């Protein structure tokens, strides 16, 4: 790479950063995404700068010089990003919508991809630089290539380690080493067929089905081994019901991806690139994982001759989730579209209904099936006989038993097997027991009768023989009874467990010794795989042993039959005991309260949370649910019982542990299930605590998932005051938070706030209520788990905003977009089934409308009674989509231009809004008769909603009433009224309720039967309400916000809320001591209000003086000055808050009001260009300075002897001037009119220099003694500050602070603040930090060398409160400042949605550690 290329990339990176920070200033949401991308680009640029410096030192840098392809790609990528970030909003839209038309164009996923891309570039360059620097230092050029390869290998290993791989799921894993393959001369014809299929893939999917014990897994293992030998096995996953990591699909794709990466260096490189670009994909849905980790890496790699390769998937029926099985089957279908390799998928399973149905939906041209039951019985018996002959031949030789057994005996065993290979395997293992005579054991089997019935009779008899023989002869009945009790306790536990445990883990869980477990299992090797290694899991030889042991009809000896509900109850008790005695706070020693669970590697996790503890955390509720319902009270499900104590003492520790294990979403389902178990119970205290815990998890799942220790910080701190969980764990709250934030008293009706990848434009619940589909502004559709709020999958296809979605009767999803397409989706799998053009992509047809407002058509949908769709197209025409023909009709109302499609009434009547140049009207169009009528309304309406029982709700434009139009009766009734305009309406699915959202910031629920209303809660600008299918929940979204809210829709009378909306805060000022907050409000309440944070009191300081224009606290906090609309400036003593002193009146509109740093002067600047200066102490007027234009900015010197005044005209472009005055002599020291867009100025402490922004990109530094003028380049500077010794100058531009050496004018440091709020910027007294409204920022090289950090450097950064570089407290969405921040003395005032919230942190020095 040449220096010129690197320089070009650096310059372009700077431009891109500037564009990004522009978005930060003008876009409310996506702050975190913007910051992370800007920071990564800046880090990348810094590495490039080091490369340039290295090149200047030496031209002999072989590794870096070889990075030309990397540099070219980086240059291309950053240019692409620059083009993508250019605002594409048209001038008309900007004029109409203002700044809200400027939208951040990247969603979270895209930002993550760009961040990872630049991180990868940075890593590559860093490795190269380190290598070259080592080479230059040691002069060892011969080792350069080795160093490069070594670094590359390390990086690849690091990336591959991020894949969630299930080691036990591989057919050749250590845990499966004793599992058998097909022996020679068995399954010959079948294996030949499979070999032929695997070499050609005439159909890409092969499904082998069969009942339990028929040898499916043995065939799969044999095929996998053969394919591995021929190097055509590229992946495999063997599901197992008894394995925690192989009984679900969580690690399925990650395991296959890991296998693929180890096939070839090319695939490894492609896979590592995919992981680098999409590191978060492993936490997303199966479809996203499959696409990013399987399809795309395979599609990118170019291999010779398009090789034919295979993936083997065994026991799909043991996956554990029907939904996951459906998804996997659909994903398997997509292998046909991969063109770089000829990939086939071999699948085995029992013929379960969900799998049979899934394969039934796959075209036969894609898959072939074989049911093992279709193989003639004599063929199977022959193979079983071959197996028996081989195994008994081995036993005969090892035991030296000539002429044994007879051919007749073997034939008899083969016939008894009933075509079940597991029978033959169990017989062989039973006879081969070293402690017994093989002849006697075989005779026992042949002489025994059937103990079971049906097709498993012989297998049941064999299992029973194994169990009875485990009881040695010669024991008395009491000893046998003890042995049977031990068997039931230990073996009964093994077959009841939801995951496999090792001998040592099982012993720990059951509170017995390892020796006791070994003794209980010693004679059961015929049915159990018992490893020598006590840390490896105990496994059933076959799942049929579990089925036998728990079924009394099959296991007819009560001494062995496992009472599964009883075992569940006992295991529940053991799990409770383990958790309450071992779980503790910060069990894995995370370094900060904000540390992610990824900071704990698997080895550390398994050490701190041993296997039996992990098992207890994951499955305690499943065992409780499996116990007999009438025994649960005795087990501890009652007030004061084990469960109650667990929630009071260990609940938070359990959540922490579940987060560390990556199972946080599962806790929502577990506690919800527990709450449902308690509904019919009389344990009222426990019911209340569990319900409170459920709300606690729903509100905090996302942050605990991101940072486990936030369960003791953010989760507790922001929970309601009367939350039972908060009360139980009051002593766990952080000690570094001096003042608790003001929160709600109790849980409201808002259940969750869910953060999406992008702003939502439409919302719909799935018919079964399991999923929420959110159409996004970037064209994607995000699927969420309705129970947990976790993101499930992303449906990609639309290129522009999704304007409407609806679920069809069969559960499929239809969506329309401004890209001019209608798409049909399979929402579970994410497959896009069809695409129809509803107009030319990108076209918009603006409609004439009343007034000057012209609105483009928003494509819409409505489901018709027969399953077809009414589609509003971009041209304003209405068409019908035929489900049967998958096509659109011609316009059904050619004479009308439709502005909105509101919905369809039950009998097939569409409710349509038509518009012409003069008016809009509602039409009722009968889809069957094709006739329409115009609704006769005597009022103007805003919003419309359609009910399922022929009622249309309309909100009125003028008086904000809600009226109901009864279609059948053609009558109108009045429902109620909001205090302001109604923004949105929606009916519940049964039509009994109506939800309304108003501009008065309320969301109301109307009971149509009782004609009553309930205030559910307060929201700001939220729309798009949608009910869940059962009508119990409502979801709402907000324009230009990535958040959606989920509400409870069912209210009891005692829960009806009556709170009024909060006041609309206009201005906020925080006193320097952090004790007082002064606020003013918008609207009619022109009051100056004081809030005392010490005693939580508040009072009105002044009223009826017109709007307060400016206010300011003195530096010592002893005085407050205000300037009002009535032209008065008042001054208050904060120690008494008595009557304020009027310093001046008739001062016109004051624009600036500020104290000097020493507090001896108070200056005001007004729109007439006057600067008035008073003494706050004597209250006398000291000086008046007059300027030509209105005052915009004022800055005092440190001692108050000089004042810098910026004034500006109101013209376009404005004329700006800068004047420096001596406040004592009133003499002008400096004047210039060479100022454009003046925003800030700073005066040095020695008063010799001052700096000010002169143009868009430059800051002028002027020395009043030497008259020397210098400049630095600082784009969009909004604040300046000199260090205490004047050696440094700090400049702030958006969310970046730059430090400059006053000697060289070179930039010495860059600080990313996370917020662009405020013009406040100063150095702390000790010079170690910069102080801003967002908090304190520690300097890398403090002004005073050697001074230890003696302060707590608290600051707000995106959604975190940080102490230095440590994340300490996560801020919920409602607490993230969108309209400003104030900070003094550890107190933070966060302003959002015209409300303020406060936090106060310790100031006694850096927090020494975490709790």
């Amino acid at each position: 790479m040449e220096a010129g290329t690197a320089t070009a990339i650096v310059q372009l990176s700077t431009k891109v950063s500037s564009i990004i920070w522009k978005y930060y200033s003008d876009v409310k949401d996506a702050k975190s995404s913007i910051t992370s991308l800007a920071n990564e680009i800046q880090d990348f640029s810094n590495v490039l700068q080091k490369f340039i410096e290295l090149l200047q030192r030496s031209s002999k840098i072989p590794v870096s010089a070889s990075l030309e392809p990397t540099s070219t790609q980086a240059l291309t990528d950053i240019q692409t990003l620059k083009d993508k970030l250019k605002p594409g909003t048209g001038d008309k839209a900007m004029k109409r919508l203002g700044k809200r038309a400027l939208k951040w164009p990247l969603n979270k996923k895209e930002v993550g991809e760009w961040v990872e891309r630049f991180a990868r570039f940075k890593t590559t360059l860093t490795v190269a630089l380190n290598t070259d620097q080592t080479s230059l230092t040691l002069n060892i050029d011969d080792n350069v290539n080795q160093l490069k390869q070594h670094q590359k290998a390390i990086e690849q290993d690091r990336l591959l380690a991020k894949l969630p791989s299930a080691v036990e799921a591989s057919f050749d894993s250590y845990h499966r080493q004793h599992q058998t393959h097909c022996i020679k001369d068995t399954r010959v014809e079948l294996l030949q067929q499979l070999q032929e299929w695997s070499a050609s893939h005439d159909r890409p999917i092969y499904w082998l089905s069969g009942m339990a014990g028929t040898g499916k897994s043995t065939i799969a293992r044999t095929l996998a081994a053969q394919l591995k030998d021929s190097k055509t096995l590229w992946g495999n996953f063997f599901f197992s019901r008894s394995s925690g990591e192989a009984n679900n699909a969580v690690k399925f794709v990650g395991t296959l991806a890991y296998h693929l990466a180890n096939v070839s260096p090319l695939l490894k490189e492609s896979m590592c690139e995919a992981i680098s670009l999409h590191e978060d994909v492993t936490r997303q849905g199966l479809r996203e994982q499959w696409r990013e980790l399987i399809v795309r890496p395979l599609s990118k790699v170019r291999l010779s001759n398009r090789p034919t390769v295979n993936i083997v998937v065994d026991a799909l029926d043991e996956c554990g989730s029907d939904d996951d099985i459906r998804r996997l089957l659909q994903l398997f279908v997509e292998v046909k579209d991969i063109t770089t390799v000829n990939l086939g998928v071999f699948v085995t399973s029992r013929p379960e209904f969900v799998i049979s149905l899934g394969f039934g939906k796959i075209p036969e041209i894609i898959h072939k099936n074989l049911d093992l039951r279709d193989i003639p019985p004599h063929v199977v018996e022959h193979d079983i006989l071959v197996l028996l002959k081989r195994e008994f031949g081995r036993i005969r030789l090892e035991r030296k038993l000539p002429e044994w057994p007879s051919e007749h005996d073997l034939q008899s065993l083969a016939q008894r097997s009933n075509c079940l290979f597991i029978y033959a395997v169990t017989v062989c293992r039973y006879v081969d027991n070293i402690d017994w005579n093989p002849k006697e054991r075989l005779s026992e089997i042949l002489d025994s009768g059937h103990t079971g019935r049906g097709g498993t009779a012989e297998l049941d008899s064999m299992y029973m023989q194994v169990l009875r023989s485990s009881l040695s002869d010669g024991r008395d009945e009491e000893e046998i009874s003890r042995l049977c009790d031990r068997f039931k306790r230990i073996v009964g536990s093994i077959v009841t467990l939801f995951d496999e445990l090792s001998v040592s883990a099982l012993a720990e869980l059951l509170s017995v010794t390892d020796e006791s477990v070994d003794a209980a299992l010693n004679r059961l090797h015929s049915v159990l795989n018992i490893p020598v290694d006590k840390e490896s899991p105990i496994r059933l030889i076959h799942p049929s042993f579990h089925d036998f042991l728990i079924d009394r009809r099959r296991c007819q000896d009560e001494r062995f039959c496992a009472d599964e509900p009883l075992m569940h109850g006992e295991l529940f008790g053991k799990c409770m005991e383990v958790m309450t005695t071992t779980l503790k706070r910060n069990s894995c020693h995370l370094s900060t309260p904000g540390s992610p669970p990824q900071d704990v590697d698997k080895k550390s996790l398994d050490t701190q949370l041993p296997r039996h503890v992990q098992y207890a955390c994951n499955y305690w509720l499943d065992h409780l649910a499996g116990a007999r319902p009438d025994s649960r009270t005795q087990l501890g499900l009652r007030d004061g019982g084990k469960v109650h104590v667990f929630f009071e003492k260990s609940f938070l520790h359990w959540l922490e542990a579940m987060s560390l294990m990556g199972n946080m979403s599962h806790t929502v389902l577990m506690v919800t299930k527990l709450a449902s178990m308690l509904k019919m119970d009389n344990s009222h205290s426990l019911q209340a605590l569990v319900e409170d815990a459920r709300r606690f998890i729903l509100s905090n799942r996302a942050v605990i998932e991101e940072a486990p220790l936030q369960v003791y910080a953010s989760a507790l701190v922001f929970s309601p005051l009367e939350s039972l969980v908060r009360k139980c764990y009051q002593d766990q709250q952080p000690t570094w938070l001096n003042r608790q934030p003001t929160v709600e008293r109790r849980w409201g009706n808002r259940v969750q706030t869910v953060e999406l990848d992008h702003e939502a434009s439409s919302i719909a619940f799935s018919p079964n209520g399991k999923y929420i589909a959110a159409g996004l502004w970037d064209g994607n559709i995000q699927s969420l788990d309705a129970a947990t709020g976790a993101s499930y999958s992303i449906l990609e296809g639309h290129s522009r905003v999704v304007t409407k979605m609806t679920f069809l009767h069969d559960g499929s999803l239809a969506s329309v977009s401004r890209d001019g397409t209608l798409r049909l989706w399979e929402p579970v799998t994410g497959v896009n089934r069809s695409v129809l053009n509803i107009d030319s992509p990108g076209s918009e047809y603006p409609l004439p409308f009343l007034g000057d407002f012209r609105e483009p058509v928003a494509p819409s949908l409505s489901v018709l009674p027969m399953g077809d769709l009414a589609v509003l197209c971009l041209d304003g025409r209405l068409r019908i989509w035929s489900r049967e023909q998958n096509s659109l009709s011609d316009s059904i109302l050619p004479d009308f231009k439709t502005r909105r499609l509101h919905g369809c009434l039950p009998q097939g009547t569409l409710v349509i809004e038509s518009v012409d140049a003069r008016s809009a009207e509602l039409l009722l169009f009968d889809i069957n008769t094709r006739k329409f009528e115009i609704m006769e309304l005597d009022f103007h309406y805003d919003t419309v909603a359609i009910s399922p029982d022929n009622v249309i709700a309309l909100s009125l434009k003028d008086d904000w009433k809600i009226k109901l139009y009864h279609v059948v009766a053609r009558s109108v009734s009045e429902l109620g009224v909001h205090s302001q305009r109604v923004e949105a309406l929606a009916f519940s699915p049964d039509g009994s309720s109506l939800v309304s959202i108003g501009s008065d910031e309320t969301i109301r629920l109307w009971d149509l039967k009782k004609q009553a209303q309930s205030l559910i809660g307060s929201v700001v600008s939220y729309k798009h309400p949608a009910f869940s299918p059962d009508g119990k929940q409502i979801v709402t979204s907000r324009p230009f916000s990535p958040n959606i809210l989920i509400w409870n829709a069912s209210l009891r009378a005692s829960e009806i809320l009556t709170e009024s909306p909060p006041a609309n805060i206009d201005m906020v000022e925080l006193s320097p001591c952090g004790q007082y907050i002064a606020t003013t409000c918008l609207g009619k309440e022109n009051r100056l209000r004081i809030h005392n944070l010490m005693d939580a009191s508040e009072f009105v300081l002044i009223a009826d003086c017109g709007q307060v224009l400016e206010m300011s606290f003195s530096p010592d906090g002893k005085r407050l000055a205000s300037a009002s609309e009535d032209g008065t400036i008042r001054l208050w003593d904060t120690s008494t808050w008595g009557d304020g002193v009027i310093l001046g009146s008739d001062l016109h509109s004051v624009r600036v009001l500020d104290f000097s740093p020493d507090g001896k002067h108070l200056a005001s600047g007004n729109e007439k260009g006057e600067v008035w200066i008073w003494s706050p102490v004597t209250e006398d007027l000291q000086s008046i300075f007059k300027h030509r234009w209105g005052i915009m900015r004022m800055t005092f010197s440190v001692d108050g002897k000089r004042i810098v005044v910026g004034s500006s005209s109101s013209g376009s472009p404005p004329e700006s001037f800068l004047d420096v005055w001596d406040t004592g002599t009133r003499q002008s020291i400096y004047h210039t009119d060479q100022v454009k867009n003046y925003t800030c100025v700073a005066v040095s402490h020695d008063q010799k220099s001052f700096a000010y922004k002169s143009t868009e990109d430059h800051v002028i530094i002027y020395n009043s003694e030497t008259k020397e003028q210098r400049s630095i380049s600082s784009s969009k500077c909004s604040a300046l500050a000199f260090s205490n010794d004047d050696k440094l100058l700090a400049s702030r531009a958006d969310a970046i602070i730059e430090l400059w050496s006053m000697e060289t004018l070179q930039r010495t440091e860059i600080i990313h603040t996370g917020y662009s709020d405020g013009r406040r910027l100063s150095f702390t007294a000790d010079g170690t930090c910069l102080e801003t409204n967002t908090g304190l920022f520690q300097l890398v090289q403090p002004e005073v060398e050697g001074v230890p950090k003696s302060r707590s450097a608290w600051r707000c950064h995106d959604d975190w409160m940080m102490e230095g570089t440590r994340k300490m407290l996560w801020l919920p969405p409602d607490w993230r400042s969108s309209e400003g921040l104030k900070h003094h003395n550890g107190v933070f005032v966060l302003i959002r949605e015209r409300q303020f919230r406060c936090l106060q942190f310790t100031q006694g020095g850096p927090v020494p550690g975490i709790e």
Side-chain angles (χ1 to χ4, degrees), residues 813-847:
L813 177 68
S815 63
V816 285
S817 163
R818 286 201 189 278
D819 65 4
T821 62
L822 160 67
R823 293 177 180 265
L824 295 179
W825 308 85
E826 176 61 44
V828 174
T829 63
V831 173
N832 190 180
R833 285 169 30 188
S834 66
V835 182
L836 280 82
N837 288 325
I838 59 174
D839 217 300
S840 56
S843 299
E844 286 186 350
Y845 294 83
L847 293 170

Side-chain angles (χ1 to χ4, degrees), residues 1277-1296:
C1277 181
S1278 60
L1280 293 163
F1282 283 93
S1283 61
N1284 300 333
D1285 59 2
D1286 294 332
K1287 292 181 178 180
L1288 296 174
L1289 175 67
S1291 65
R1292 179 168 189 162
D1294 292 322
I1296 292 179

Side-chain angles (χ1 to χ4, degrees), residues 1203-1277:
I1203 185 171
V1204 184
V1205 180
S1207 56
S1208 181
S1209 69
S1210 57
S1212 181
E1215 296 181 60
S1216 297
F1217 301 92
L1218 189 71
D1219 291 275
V1220 182
W1221 301 89
D1222 187 306
T1223 57
T1225 64
R1226 305 181 187 178
Q1227 298 297 311
S1228 174
I1229 298 174
Y1230 179 78
H1231 170 81
T1232 179
D1233 57 4
Q1234 302 300 314
V1235 182
K1236 295 181 181 178
N1237 300 319
Y1238 170 80
T1239 57
C1240 56
V1241 68
V1243 182
S1244 63
H1245 288 69
D1246 62 7
Q1247 301 186 44
K1248 295 179 181 179
S1249 301
F1250 58 89
Y1252 63 92
K1253 178 189 172 186
S1254 64
T1255 65
E1256 183 72 19
D1257 298 319
H1258 287 85
V1259 170
I1260 298 297
I1261 303 169
Y1262 180 78
N1263 188 301
S1264 59
E1265 285 189 350
T1266 65
K1267 311 302 181 185
E1268 179 186 12
Q1269 183 169 293
R1270 301 185 295 169
S1271 69
I1272 59 174
S1273 176
S1274 182
S1275 177
K1276 301 178 183 177
C1277 181

Side-chain angles (χ1 to χ4, degrees), residues 40 74 112 207 211 220-221 238 249 267 300 367 395 420 453 493 618 729 815 844 864 1015 1170 1221 1224 1273 1283 1380:
E40 195 60 53
W207 177 36
M211 301 304 292
R221 285 191 294 272
F238 280 55
L267 269 174
K300 285 184 178 181
H367 77 98
I395 297 171
L420 296 178
R453 57 186 179 180
S493 295
N618 281 305
Y729 297 93
S815 63
E844 286 186 350
L864 301 177
L1015 176 63
E1170 299 171 340
W1221 301 89
S1273 176
S1283 61

